[in-house]
Amino acid sequence: MTMPKKHSDLAINGDNAVALAWKQIDPDVCAAYPITPQTIIVEKFAEYIADGEVTTEFVCVESEHSALTLCTTSCSAGARTFTATASQGLAYMWEMLPITSSMRVPVIMAVANRAVSGPININNDHGDVMSARDCGWLTLFSENVQQAYDMSIIAPRIAEHPDVQLPCLVNLDGFILTHAIERMTPIDTQIVKKFVGEFKPMHPLLDVKHPVSHNLMDGPLFYFPHKYQMVQAMNNALKVAKDVFKEFAEISGREYHLVEEYMCEDAESIAIVLGSSFGTMKEAVDQLRREGMKVGVAMPRVFRPWPIEDLAKLMKGKKSVIVMDRHLSVGAYGPMFPEVCAAALENKDVPKMYNFIYGLGGADTMVSDFMSVFKDVKDGRATRINYLGVKQ
Amino acid sequence: MSTMSLKDLNKIPVRLASGHRLCAGCGESIIARQILMGTEKDVVVTCSTGCFEVSTTIFPYTSWKVPYVHTAFGNGAATCAGVETAYKALLKQGKVKEDIRFVNFAGDGATYDIGLQALSGAMERGHNMLFVCLNNEAYMNTGIQRSSATGFGASTTTSWAGSVSAGKKEFPKDMTAIIAAHGVPFAAQTAPHAWRDMITKSQKAFECGGPSFINAISPCPRGWRFAPEETINISKLAVETCIWPLYEVENGTDYTLSAESMRIAEGKVEKKPVTDWIDSQGRYKHLKNEKWEPVVEKLQKENDRKWASLLKLCDL
């Protein structure tokens, strides 16, 4: 491979960064319905269409349900297909989410994470994507605008891999990443195209000389085995993701991992968090380290498949693990907490486990708030489940 | 295809294999076979969830000898539009070379009710696809519940005839007119006994160059309560009573009555009373009771009004 041409950095928001990645990939089909805070992606992409900068067939559907339906069958017909949504849009798509994955079509969907109604709220939390977590989609998280761009380029490589063949959600926090302008280093378009490669669909519908039937009715004899095939594909995705991350580092100089770690190695207490809060928590860790506290923070880059082995390794020997959930299963824990606890069971000794629910509906969570989390745990003020910043 | 002899039609490969699981006497497979005789080109079939979908695709078997895909209940039009969009994308890249047609089959629930939004969207956007409603006038797949296509006075499992109820209280909505109002190149009503009518309409729909809609009445022995061998007779009666007139609409405004209904309009054939329709099916048997006479009168009156309105649209 020729050495990447040095590109000048851009000042760009997360939605435009995703649209830029899409433009460089130039998918065959895109169908989407606008919803705050994802709207900029479809608007920008429509602009690329209008200016002839992409060859994509762009369909302005009448709803998110039709968006994902159209994308699913377009992909099963043999076209590389992208879409984007958020919040209510993802909720409206919900019926189709497990159908897309069980049809084993690698649709790529950007999710501009936003709270789910009600009450209606347009700000960031992870209620939308967490309600989609059991639907069989690969799920990637981004910490900043650069990563939202990078994950958009990486996603099709994992999703379309013959050993995987599953759709993929690329998450970026609403407003915090979608609308905030950050500095970003793009990759040369030719290098992006070469990296992503040509879409090679399996048994596409449009191969009319070899007719196939897609998405038939399963009785009890076949439904469970078919679901198990998806389990195997998810397991395969762990290795595929690692390989793709390695290859991506070669073209970008940016190295990604199944679980991203910051100051975890010698830490006694670590937090596990998703999305843009990873950055805020790194700053909290820095400040606490200066105060002499041995703390660290980690982010599962890949949320589905759940990287059990890497998480177990991360938690080994730690005194306490704090799971930061930006969503709440009302009447239980945050959605990530039980999963982290289960991963901890892979080790002989399980750390003390704490769950902090934070930032719902865009509730501001500052560096000082995250610092207080570590301090509450250290000083024994934390309970099993805590609601950060809410007066109880 | 310009000819329409049975001999020629026989040469068109069978796309829907026999051995599917539809009930004896079901109108749906008859309609699907006739619709698919409307094109000799390659065709991709999509289905909305319903009787037709579950009966033709029980894994590991499929009745389909052409590419087929189904996703869910309320999104048949988007399911079909997705394949059609991929076709446009891959055709312009030279990755697909065949001249392919696209058709979605849906029941009346997946057309009139839960599927209306996706259908309206696809028709408005102009996808080059045919949407066929296999209209058996109720949710038959889940056990004969009323839909907005169910006839006035019909007893269904959610609109029972009882001591204080004469069955369904509402008249069916005019779905064909709703789709025609989208200004699509071709929309039509047809019936399975009128095979020549149906295949001609299918040919027009497949070659109209844009979105098209065919609403085919599909007599249902189980749901309508008649003997399986009566399907074709019941279909005929629907047209003879003007419960289901045959016509087509081009570009949203040009209404044309089809031959069989035209003969009634011209007075060459008698317009049969709705009592003939009611008497032919068990779902209306309660209407024979004297106390529901006003209901039968109301049905006849509304049927006459709609027929007169259609004749006006057809400039007759």
Side-chain angles (χ1 to χ4, degrees), chain A residues 269-347:
Chain A
S269 178
I270 59 163
I272 295 176
V273 70
L274 292 168
S276 59
S277 301
F278 185 41
T280 321
M281 286 204 92
K282 283 178 185 170
E283 177 60 27
V285 164
D286 282 346
Q287 293 196 25
L288 291 171
R289 285 261 171 182
R290 282 198 287 275
E291 291 176 21
M293 279 177 72
K294 286 182 130 181
V295 292
V297 61
M299 176 179 92
R301 162 86 45 212
V302 179
F303 180 75
R304 284 291 180 276
W306 186 234
I308 296 168
E309 204 179 300
D310 294 61
L311 284 165
K313 213 172 124 200
L314 170 77
M315 289 186 278
K316 199 169 182 181
K318 303 299 177 207
K319 280 188 185 157
S320 56
V321 172
I322 303 158
V323 181
M324 304 297 302
D325 268 305
R326 203 160 197 167
H327 180 51
L328 173 61
S329 176
V330 180
Y333 306 99
M336 193 160 60
F337 183 66
E339 302 203 349
V340 174
C341 291
L345 295 175
E346 298 299 314
N347 297 326

Side-chain angles (χ1 to χ4, degrees), chain A residues 41-63:
Chain A
I41 302 177
V42 286
E43 284 176 346
K44 190 70 192 173
F45 199 70
E47 206 179 305
Y48 293 141
I49 298 274
D51 293 337
E53 295 191 59
V54 287
T55 58
T56 310
E57 283 292 327
F58 181 60
V59 190
C60 294
V61 279
E62 85 295 336
S63 72

Side-chain angles (χ1 to χ4, degrees), chain A residues 88-102:
Chain A
Q88 303 311 106
L90 191 62
Y92 196 23
M93 284 178 177
W94 199 94
E95 185 194 23
M96 278 304 296
L97 290 170
I99 296 174
T100 310
S101 61
S102 79

Side-chain angles (χ1 to χ4, degrees), chain A residues 29 57-59 70 74, chain B residues 80-90 127:
Chain A
V29 172
E57 283 292 327
F58 181 60
V59 190
L70 197 144
S74 158
Chain B
C80 197
V83 187
E84 186 261 358
T85 304
Y87 175 63
K88 272 193 273 191
L90 299 182
H127 295 282

Side-chain angles (χ1 to χ4, degrees), chain A residues 28 55 57 59-63 65 69-70 73-74 78 92 96 99 205 209 211-218 222, chain B residues 57 59-62 65 67-71 75 78-79 82-83 85-87 89-90 92-93 98 117-118 125:
Chain A
D28 301 315
T55 58
E57 283 292 327
V59 190
C60 294
V61 279
E62 85 295 336
S63 72
H65 195 283
T69 301
L70 197 144
T73 57
S74 158
Y92 196 23
M96 278 304 296
I99 296 174
L205 284 169
K209 299 279 180 285
V212 284
S213 293
H214 287 194
N215 196 30
L216 312 191
M217 187 182 190
D218 268 4
F222 297 105
Chain B
T57 57
F59 190 87
Y61 304 107
T62 178
K65 291 171 179 276
Y68 162 95
V69 63
H70 149 257
T71 60
N75 58 354
T79 299
V83 187
T85 304
Y87 175 63
L90 299 182
K92 80 182 171 195
Q93 294 174 39
E98 293 87 353
Q117 175 186 301
R125 291 190 302 269

Side-chain angles (χ1 to χ4, degrees), chain A residues 23-259:
Chain A
K23 176 183 130 182
Q24 294 180 306
I25 295 167
D26 195 2
D28 301 315
V29 172
C30 171
Y33 193 78
I35 181 168
T36 304
Q38 155 267 32
T39 318
I40 303 170
I41 302 177
V42 286
E43 284 176 346
K44 190 70 192 173
F45 199 70
E47 206 179 305
Y48 293 141
I49 298 274
D51 293 337
E53 295 191 59
V54 287
T55 58
T56 310
E57 283 292 327
F58 181 60
V59 190
C60 294
V61 279
E62 85 295 336
S63 72
E64 287 91 352
H65 195 283
S66 284
L68 186 53
T69 301
L70 197 144
C71 288
T72 298
T73 57
S74 158
C75 202
S76 74
R80 177 178 276 149
T81 308
F82 289 8
T83 187
T85 193
S87 181
Q88 303 311 106
L90 191 62
Y92 196 23
M93 284 178 177
W94 199 94
E95 185 194 23
M96 278 304 296
L97 290 170
I99 296 174
T100 310
S101 61
S102 79
M103 283 176 68
R104 305 297 298 275
V105 288
V107 172
I108 305 302
M109 172 150 61
V111 183
N113 302 119
R114 163 184 153 181
V116 171
S117 303
I120 186 169
N121 176 303
I122 61 165
N123 300 294
N124 170 243
D125 71 29
H126 295 153
D128 50 11
V129 64
M130 286 303 152
S131 304
R133 72 176 181 167
D134 300 337
C135 294
W137 286 59
L138 303 162
T139 307
L140 307 176
F141 276 87
S142 333
E143 177 197 341
N144 51 36
V145 169
Q146 180 75 61
Q147 292 181 13
Y149 169 82
D150 289 350
M151 291 307 124
S152 299
I153 293 165
I154 284 169
R157 281 292 306 275
I158 305 174
E160 293 170 10
H161 193 283
D163 295 342
V164 179
Q165 294 283 314
L166 287 170
C168 184
L169 301 171
V170 176
N171 293 282
L172 62 160
D173 281 336
F175 294 106
I176 299 170
L177 299 184
T178 58
H179 286 59
I181 292 173
E182 290 182 10
R183 182 179 178 145
M184 187 195 90
T185 310
I187 302 168
D188 182 78
T189 299
Q190 287 315 311
I191 293 171
V192 170
K193 279 197 200 308
K194 197 173 169 194
F195 175 80
V196 175
E198 196 168 326
F199 180 43
K200 296 189 183 87
M202 289 170 113
H203 311 296
L205 284 169
L206 288 173
D207 182 3
V208 289
K209 299 279 180 285
H210 304 95
V212 284
S213 293
H214 287 194
N215 196 30
L216 312 191
M217 187 182 190
D218 268 4
L221 259 182
F222 297 105
Y223 184 88
F224 200 173
H226 278 154
K227 286 290 165 197
Y228 185 69
Q229 287 180 356
M230 292 170 68
V231 173
Q232 289 173 311
M234 274 288 180
N235 289 341
N236 295 341
L238 286 168
K239 182 185 181 301
V240 171
K242 274 199 259 190
D243 293 345
V244 174
F245 289 156
K246 218 174 276 173
E247 234 182 281
F248 185 79
E250 286 168 22
I251 64 158
S252 67
R254 293 184 288 276
E255 203 178 331
Y256 294 115
H257 310 88
L258 297 179
V259 179

